[in-house]
């Protein structure tokens, strides 16, 4: 099958569990790739300890994904 096209970088994206309302708690991860050479295009929450991360292709060669450059904040101990 064909892959979804990921156009831009994730920018301070807070991943909340399905059905959760309110302010993020410690452990609700915040992903960010909105900086030069950042390349995280999408984050899917699977469980508290599992996320699917989709990396954008390299700018000059869309067939490859050579690096992984993004930040993660709001992590709790042992997560």
């Amino acid at each position: 099958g064909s892959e979804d096209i990921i156009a831009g970088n994730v920018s301070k994206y807070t991943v909340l569990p399905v059905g959760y309302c309110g302010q993020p708690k410690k452990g609700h991860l915040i992903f960010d790739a909105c900086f030069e050479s950042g390349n995280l295009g999408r984050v899917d929450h699977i469980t508290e300890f599992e996320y699917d991360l989709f990396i954008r292709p390299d700018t000059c060669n869309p067939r490859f994904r050579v690096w992984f450059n993004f930040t993660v904040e709001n992590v709790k101990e042992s997560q």
Side-chain angles (χ1 to χ4, degrees):
S2 66
E3 290 186 37
D4 293 337
I5 295 174
I6 301 171
N9 285 332
V10 166
S11 179
K12 291 287 184 182
Y13 178 69
T14 304
V15 181
L16 300 173
V18 174
Y20 179 83
C21 296
Q23 293 294 325
K25 296 180 183 178
K26 195 73 165 172
H28 293 163
L29 301 184
I30 301 169
F31 292 86
D32 188 21
C34 194
F35 49 85
E36 186 174 346
S37 78
N39 66 340
L40 182 61
R42 191 175 96 209
V43 178
D44 291 347
H45 178 262
I46 306 302
T47 70
E48 178 183 5
F49 301 104
E50 184 178 356
Y51 298 82
D52 284 343
L53 306 178
F54 296 84
I55 304 301
R56 290 186 318 100
D58 293 353
T59 302
C60 294
N61 193 342
R63 293 182 55 215
F64 297 102
R65 289 164 178 85
V66 177
W67 73 89
F68 307 92
N69 197 1
F70 56 90
T71 64
V72 181
E73 302 171 25
N74 206 35
V75 178
K76 67 181 179 182
E77 188 175 342
S78 78
Q79 190 175 18

